[in-house]
Amino acid sequence: MASANVQEPPPKRRRKAPVSTDSYVFRPLLEDIALSPEGETSKVHITCIELWDVNLYIGTSAAEILHYVAIPPDSDDPTATSSYIFASRLQPTYTHSAALSPPPGVQQILVLPQVAKACVLCNATLTFYSLPELSPAFGNTVISGCTWVGGEDLNPSDDEDEDGQTVMICVKSKIRLIRIGVAPRRIRTIEYPSCLAIARRDNFACVADARAYALLDVENQQKISLFPISSLDENSAAGRVEDISMVHEPSRPSSSVGNLRGHGRSTSLGTLVSGLGRRSPQSRSRERSGQDTPDAGPRAASPLRLPDRPRSGSVTRDSSRRPSVSGKPLPPPPDPVSTQQGAQVVAATFSSSLTPHICSPTPNEFLLTTGTAPDEPGVGIFVNLDGDVVRGTLQFDRYPTSVVVDVHEQDASAPDGVRQSEGFVLAAILQHRDDGDREMIEVQSISNENRTEHLNIPFPFEEDNSEDDETVMSRAKLRKVLSHTSAAFPEVGDRLHKVRLDLPIDRPIANAETREPFPSNNQELEDKRNQEEQAFGRRLGTQSSQIVLWSGSSIWWLVRNPLVLRLDGAVDMIADAMLAQTDIDYNRNEILRIMASIRDYEANTETEFLSLEYIRQKSSLVLFADALSRDPMPSSIGDLRVEDLVESGLDPRILLSLIPLLRAEVVEGLQGIWVHAGLTWVIEQYSGGLLRGNHSPFHQPEWMNIVKRYLMAWRQRKGFGSIADETEVFQSTDAALLHLLLHQDSQHASKAGIPSAARSELYSLVDNGVDCFERAVTLLEQYRRLYVLSRLYQNRKMAGRVLSTWRRIIEGAEDTGKELRDGENEVRKYLAKIRDIGLIHEYGTWLARRNAGLGVQVFADDSSRVKFSPQEVVALLKEHAPEAVKVYLEHLVFGKKNSQYANNLITYYLDSVLQVLESSEEARSILAQSYESYRALQPPKPTYRQFVMDNAIPRSWWQDRLRLLELLGGSHGADFSYDLGNILKRIEPYEQDLVPESIILDGRQGRHQQALRLLTHGLGDYHTAVNYCLMGGASIFHPISGSLTPNEASQKEDQAVLFGYLLTEFLGIEDVSNRLERTSELLERFGSWYEVEDVLKMIPASWSVELVSGFLISALRRLIHDKNEAMVVKALSGAENLQVAAALVEKCSAIDPQIEEA
């Protein structure tokens, strides 16, 4: 005995039994009916049937009516149908006539539910009965010589009188409108002889006699002749308008049909009918289009009116039948049977036993049949209430024995542009085959679609070559009865209800986000869901029908085959052919045709909605799965529209489960994947083959692009409330799309080495966010796409993970895409955008350790969202990135011109330079060599500052020394001060190595003579020495461009003192030629700062006058200039004195003398 803990695998679902793809199916209503009380039914056949409520009335050729009563089915069994029990047998009253041979029996049973009456036409005799037991009514009223009863209004109206129901009774040469209520009451009599069929809509009735069809206006009693039943009858005047009122004055036919307003169709209708009727079977076309319809001219609105002018000839009666002499006694009235017999003889002459058929598919149209012979093709023609031919024509393989239309009322009244369920025309025909004739039902669509079907009647037809009247009358007939039946199709529910799908995925069913295995305790929930789905399926698939078919002693319902069964059967046959490798391309095109046929179909019921959804899903699944199983990919898959796949509503996880690369991305969730039961066989069939096989065309770019577009289209449906299991569905689609794009990009990159088109789509996907976050992280790590992973983190605002991922890439972790360009700078820019101080501290100092310049920008960027004080930054950098402190201080001092931290920076520079000098003999040698190299240059030569900058070596201490010189030289202005004593103390041991620094510090201390001595003899920088004197010893590293401001320039007396020191140093230059040249140049250029006497005392006596001629000439010129200037000033002063004296005299003269007493 097996252990209770061992779970058996679920049984494999079997494919549903095949179903019919026909538009209609047969359901038995009543079989093996005892048509004769003696039990002998070989000579008795059914002639007519009517079903009202639970009452079934069957008329037989034995002139009897069999009454059956329905017993309701068991309510617990939705598939059960009503059963019928025999109630009574009635022999209607009729008049015996030898002219009716053989007698037709019961010809019509007209049930009038509104007044609970029935009219029975039996052997040309009309009788009336009460419902439901068919007891005689109206005092056994009998109407003999009747050819037809019916004509009830097919347009239901609320204005119908409550006291009766109007019918049309055809007797002799008249049609009588009778209102049947408590008692029959005649309303109107219309002259129309030998009427054999009527269909009425409001005041318009389409009628037929043995020869032709006509359109009657029963209210105004006018008639339009249409066309003959037999196209061989060329004497019919189609299109003629006549007055058919019962009048006593003779009437003459209209002299000109063309004078009648709006009706000139005789030629066109005659041409149409004759042309259609004479075509040979070989030339018959199954096409139905408006091109075969003649152009019928516009017709006047009804009611029709005749011209008010005399007419010659009788319109309704032959003038020969009227008495020519008023006094002559009238002959006795003709025998009704003889009249009917005469009408039948006339009919036989032209109709060749063609029975007229009139149906009304819509409130504005009638369908009429015409032909040449019963064994020749027939034609169905649609006419409107004006008698114009509309739509296209229907072509029957043979002239039908009966015709019905199956159009729902909502279809007939549907607005234009709204697709409703199809309307059909059903005709019983006798089709000729090689193995003999066989009765069939020919089904044609009323719509413009070229669709014709033939249904085999489910009971055999025994050929009888005698073709006697009894054989003809016993053939299969169709009729639309009053009541309808509800036929259950459990196959619909079997396909449309949903079941849980067991996907063959090589991993356990996982949670949507964590992907941890679920506990196996959800069987109870699954069982409950299965019960609900099965109960829901039992409510589907009920079809109603009012069409019955009878032949022999059996009656069948003719029920529309549900749309889902018809199309599912067609898809199954195509799928079987594709699996059998039979005509692959043709079958794929058939699948596409099915999908296109229902693309614009408008569902009216829940069953139709689910049916269309199911067929779309199954068609898409078959086409997709079959193409996926073939390598190379078939070309016809390009015709598969991604929109059709998405709009079908098929769970994308099903398609993903068929793709080896992506099947692991399917997330089932706790409830699993539920699909229509009819899809399980297809999924299991194809998925099994794909899992076992190694061939798949999915590696082809075309396939990947199709699936990619499909998944992208599904992503656009996020937020739709109609999507079941939305969380799991979109986690699966996002994961599959990400996986696919990673695969595509990696393939392209490995082949071409350049970014693929899929890369931008990959970026767009992660930038917009995915629902499968954890799975996305796993996939990106698996494909080593760290930069894309960082973009995914950016979408989730996970700044810490973004920075950690970038740090991994910068520190050398493998990033296959190599998309992070200038990663350190990207880190800097990202840190400026976030507000997390902890992350900025951590990654800012990390970046400062790697790249001090970029790291400092993190803390110094004015556009950063988080601002730091210099003190805080300096402290942070000293602790975590000491090497970056100097860079940050340089930013403050040189960038921000913040001299507050200049001393700190000078200290850093000194530390750097002195540390190198102390530890490196090479550094001291480099400095000494630079001095020697500079001194060796011949004038003119650049300044020492420019020299060392142009010949800088790529070492940090060298750059630090240049910045130190700039700070010490006063680049931040005269107000900038630093700790001079401390600096002097530190560089004192290195005075010989740091000559420029010593010069600057001497100038700061006022030791100008010492500074000029070092410039002249230590460096040999004569140009800087001159500038030193001009600037009063302020700095030797003044700005390269721009002029000195008055504040920076010292007084000329100070400059004269400095130039005196400089002359002394120049006179002390060891090289005689250099000494003479420098001294002569100095005296010539700056002689104005020197006194001639002082210079002559300083110049050695051995120098020739020529060496200082320039100075002497300029000095003499200055003396002469000064003398002349003094003379001019003296003369101007004398003139000014005279002017003042003259002005005083004038003032005194103007003032009167004043006498002052002593």
Side-chain angles (χ1 to χ4, degrees), residues 243 247 249-253 311-317 319 322:
D243 187 354
V247 296
E249 294 296 327
S251 300
R252 300 179 182 272
R311 290 163 289 172
S312 60
S314 174
V315 175
T316 58
R317 306 182 194 178
S319 60
R322 293 171 56 249

Side-chain angles (χ1 to χ4, degrees), residues 917-1033:
L917 293 177
E918 181 180 359
S919 62
S920 175
E921 184 67 28
E922 180 187 5
R924 292 195 296 272
S925 175
I926 291 173
L927 290 175
Q929 185 65 34
S930 68
Y931 301 149
E932 293 178 3
S933 300
Y934 182 76
R935 284 195 297 266
L937 294 177
Q938 295 298 321
K941 59 182 180 181
T943 64
Y944 180 76
R945 176 179 178 275
Q946 187 65 38
F947 173 78
V948 295
M949 291 184 66
D950 294 340
N951 297 275
I953 59 176
R955 297 188 183 182
S956 60
W957 67 270
W958 185 271
Q959 300 297 327
D960 291 345
R961 180 171 178 256
L962 294 179
R963 287 296 183 95
L964 176 62
L965 290 174
E966 186 175 350
L967 288 177
L968 293 177
S971 61
H972 283 62
D975 295 336
F976 173 64
S977 61
Y978 44 81
D979 190 353
L980 185 61
N982 181 47
I983 298 174
L984 285 171
K985 181 178 179 181
R986 296 189 62 184
I987 70 172
E988 184 178 359
Y990 306 98
E991 286 184 350
Q992 300 299 322
D993 299 316
L994 301 176
V995 176
E997 289 82 352
S998 299
I999 295 171
I1000 295 172
L1001 295 177
D1002 286 340
R1004 283 281 182 171
Q1005 296 178 88
R1007 298 166 58 184
H1008 302 301
Q1009 189 172 4
Q1010 178 66 19
L1012 290 172
R1013 181 179 298 112
L1014 291 175
L1015 281 171
T1016 304
H1017 303 290
L1019 289 179
D1021 189 356
Y1022 309 120
H1023 182 75
T1024 302
V1026 172
N1027 289 338
Y1028 185 90
C1029 296
L1030 292 174
M1031 298 179 66

Side-chain angles (χ1 to χ4, degrees), residues 48 78 155 179 280 361 368 445 570 667 716 843 890 992 1124 1138:
C48 59
N155 290 340
R179 177 159 297 164
S280 63
L368 316 176
S445 174
V667 179
Q716 295 177 0
Y843 288 95
E890 288 176 345
Q992 300 299 322
N1124 294 335
L1138 291 175

Side-chain angles (χ1 to χ4, degrees), residues 1133-1155:
S1133 299
E1136 184 180 4
N1137 187 34
L1138 291 175
Q1139 289 178 352
V1140 172
L1144 177 61
V1145 171
E1146 291 179 359
K1147 289 288 186 182
C1148 292
S1149 300
I1151 300 174
D1152 293 337
Q1154 295 182 1
I1155 299 174

Side-chain angles (χ1 to χ4, degrees), residues 711 733-743 762 765-766 770 772 775-777 779-780 783 788 792:
L711 294 174
T733 55
D734 286 357
L737 180 57
L738 178 62
H739 196 163
L740 178 59
L741 291 174
L742 287 171
H743 184 73
L762 179 62
L765 175 65
V766 297
V770 293
C772 57
R775 178 58 179 169
V777 173
L779 286 171
L780 293 171
Y783 277 85
V788 182
L792 177 65

Side-chain angles (χ1 to χ4, degrees), residues 736-769:
L737 180 57
L738 178 62
H739 196 163
L740 178 59
L741 291 174
L742 287 171
H743 184 73
Q744 275 190 309
D745 190 45
S746 62
Q747 279 192 332
H748 187 278
S750 61
K751 294 179 181 179
I754 57 176
S756 66
R759 183 162 297 183
S760 61
E761 296 170 335
L762 179 62
Y763 291 164
S764 177
L765 175 65
V766 297
D767 290 346
N768 291 322

